Amino acid sequence: EALGHFEQALRSKPDDAEVRYNVGNALARLGRRPEAMDQWEWALRLNPDLAEAHSDLGLALEQTGKVPEAITHYEQALRIKPDSSEVQNNLAWLLATLTPSEGGDPTRAVTLAERICKLTNNRAVPYLDTLAAAYASAGRFNDAVTSAQKAIDLANAAGLPQVAKQIEPRLQLYRNGQAYRRAVAVTNPPIP
């Protein structure tokens, strides 16, 4: 229903970046990702400083395996909105879980993840999960174990045992001195 309203607005304002962005969001919610991506790209041609469009396009690109392009859009979103915790987390997760030859950057991942964990007083499960992955990627396995265990404890305390179970295999990797590497098409941990 919302898509119909947005498409009507689009007919009257085809050069409105916000309308294009909203049409993209409606399409994404309907599972029509390629069409959503087209709308976000169009919105960015109209307004290159639309941080939300960069962020959403970055996530869609990441989920379709276009990692370098995703990183570029996350970086653009952070240039525009440097305090976006969600974008920082998404970028940190990518940089932590990719090898350097795939575009990973453990040092930058740690910096981003530590920042968002500090801003949330180390109380956000997905951010702690990302911080653990970043620490492991940087070879800081004791810190990775501590962060992952805290994320698991918080998830369990919040009544989210399924989230805790998703983190447990990564915790085991960190205990074994291994970083978590993921397939390019796998999505980030859920954002609250």
Side-chain angles (χ1 to χ4, degrees):
E1 188 176 309
L3 180 59
H5 293 293
F6 288 130
E7 287 176 333
Q8 183 177 353
L10 190 58
R11 283 189 287 279
S12 63
K13 297 179 180 181
D15 292 331
D16 187 310
E18 287 288 334
V19 171
R20 294 250 175 223
Y21 171 69
N22 289 328
V23 169
N25 286 344
L27 289 165
R29 277 190 227 96
L30 293 172
R32 294 165 56 184
R33 187 181 355 204
E35 294 168 88
M37 292 170 69
D38 288 342
Q39 291 299 319
W40 293 327
E41 287 171 348
W42 199 333
L44 289 169
R45 284 192 296 274
L46 295 168
N47 179 1
D49 290 331
L50 195 56
E52 295 81 7
H54 280 293
S55 175
D56 291 345
L57 184 56
L59 184 59
L61 287 164
E62 177 184 347
Q63 291 171 341
T64 58
K66 297 178 180 172
V67 174
E69 295 93 336
I71 291 172
T72 298
H73 282 283
Y74 288 149
E75 293 284 6
Q76 285 291 75
L78 283 180
R79 180 187 58 77
I80 300 160
K81 283 181 115 175
D83 292 330
S84 172
S85 296
E86 181 180 336
V87 176
Q88 288 180 67
N89 187 65
N90 290 347
L91 180 58
W93 181 257
L94 255 184
L95 297 176
T97 61
L98 294 170
T99 64
S101 65
E102 295 170 319
D105 183 344
T107 303
R108 178 102 194 281
V110 167
T111 300
L112 289 166
E114 283 180 338
R115 182 171 185 233
I116 56 176
C117 283
K118 183 178 180 182
L119 290 172
T120 58
N121 295 318
N122 291 310
R123 304 293 301 164
V125 172
Y127 300 162
L128 286 166
D129 187 22
T130 298
L131 180 60
Y135 281 147
S137 184
R140 295 172 56 181
F141 296 106
N142 289 336
D143 292 331
V145 167
T146 300
S147 295
Q149 188 61 62
K150 182 168 180 87
I152 289 169
D153 293 345
L154 284 173
N156 283 325
L160 301 169
Q162 70 282 6
V163 173
K165 285 188 187 311
Q166 291 173 349
I167 299 170
E168 287 170 359
R170 291 189 285 275
L171 173 59
Q172 195 56 47
L173 284 174
Y174 310 150
R175 285 184 174 141
N176 292 332
Q178 298 176 322
Y180 172 72
R181 302 294 181 212
R182 59 153 186 75
V184 173
V186 175
T187 61
N188 294 359
I191 302 298

